Amino acid sequence: EGHHSREHIEYNNRLQALGYDVERLTQPVRRRIAYANKHLSPERRLAGTVAMEHFTAIMADAVLRELRWFKGSDEAMRRIWRWHALEETEHKAVAFDLYMQVCGDRKLLREAMRFSTWFFLRDVTRGVWHMLKRDGHQWDVCLWCVCGKCVCDYGVRSAHVQ
């Protein structure tokens, strides 16, 4: 887990060095975490963690299955993304198992998934928009369509597999 945290810090530092406003991208999440720590019970916070780990595990699964997404990319980047995907998959299982041992309330977990879905999609969309804007591509409809098609195609395929 220490290596995982270090990689996130290094990745964010690299994005900052490339001109992306990492503070702007991470501030809403930090504010939500501070609010949750102050106002929500440990069970609700753990349910939120399980929900977010579920989303990152879905993305990790896509990274591991959809090798075409990395066609033409640097081999070192492919390796780091695959390693990161494996780490995220492991987190999901650990968080869920702990939640089931500590609380196990499925209704609370569903509620956490609803909130997390909203915040996750909002944060990811804002992040992608910021990065595309910084790169001068925010109005590149073809790029948005390609990203949307990859996500939608994967979502439809994975829903049928499970």
Side-chain angles (χ1 to χ4, degrees):
E1 190 56 33
H3 290 143
H4 189 123
S5 295
R6 185 191 72 226
E7 294 300 326
H8 274 279
I9 291 167
E10 288 184 23
Y11 182 77
N12 286 347
N13 288 343
R14 180 68 178 135
L15 288 176
Q16 190 76 39
L18 290 170
Y20 298 100
D21 189 350
V22 174
E23 174 66 24
R24 180 178 171 200
L25 295 173
T26 58
Q27 184 183 32
V29 175
R30 284 195 314 276
R31 277 197 315 256
R32 264 195 312 281
I33 290 170
Y35 176 87
N37 287 338
K38 185 175 181 179
H39 298 287
L40 302 182
S41 70
E43 293 82 8
R44 284 190 181 280
R45 293 194 313 263
L46 184 54
T49 298
V50 171
M52 293 309 294
E53 292 296 347
H54 184 75
F55 280 112
T56 56
I58 290 169
M59 290 189 315
D61 183 67
V63 165
L64 293 171
R65 289 178 190 262
E66 301 295 336
L67 301 178
R68 64 191 167 99
W69 291 356
F70 295 95
K71 184 178 180 182
S73 67
D74 180 72
E75 178 60 31
M77 289 304 295
R78 280 195 301 270
R79 279 196 311 269
I80 194 73
W81 276 105
R82 291 181 64 75
W83 168 83
H84 192 211
L86 290 169
E87 285 278 310
E88 292 298 343
T89 301
E90 180 181 290
H91 292 172
K92 176 190 172 194
V94 170
F96 181 78
D97 290 347
L98 178 63
Y99 179 80
M100 293 308 288
Q101 288 291 318
V102 170
C103 177
D105 183 342
R106 294 294 189 138
K107 182 178 177 188
L108 180 59
L109 193 53
R110 285 190 300 273
E111 181 182 308
M113 283 300 297
R114 284 191 295 274
F115 279 105
S116 296
T117 299
W118 162 251
F119 287 120
F120 186 83
L121 293 174
R122 186 181 73 172
D123 292 345
V124 168
T125 301
R126 283 180 175 174
V128 169
W129 180 261
H130 170 74
M131 291 178 165
L132 290 176
K133 183 177 180 183
R134 191 265 174 221
D135 292 346
H137 295 291
Q138 80 269 28
W139 300 113
D140 187 337
V141 175
C142 291
L143 185 58
W144 279 99
C145 289
V146 167
C147 291
K149 182 174 178 5
C150 287
V151 169
C152 290
D153 283 356
Y154 177 76
V156 168
R157 252 196 326 279
S158 65
H160 290 295
V161 170
Q162 299 170 1

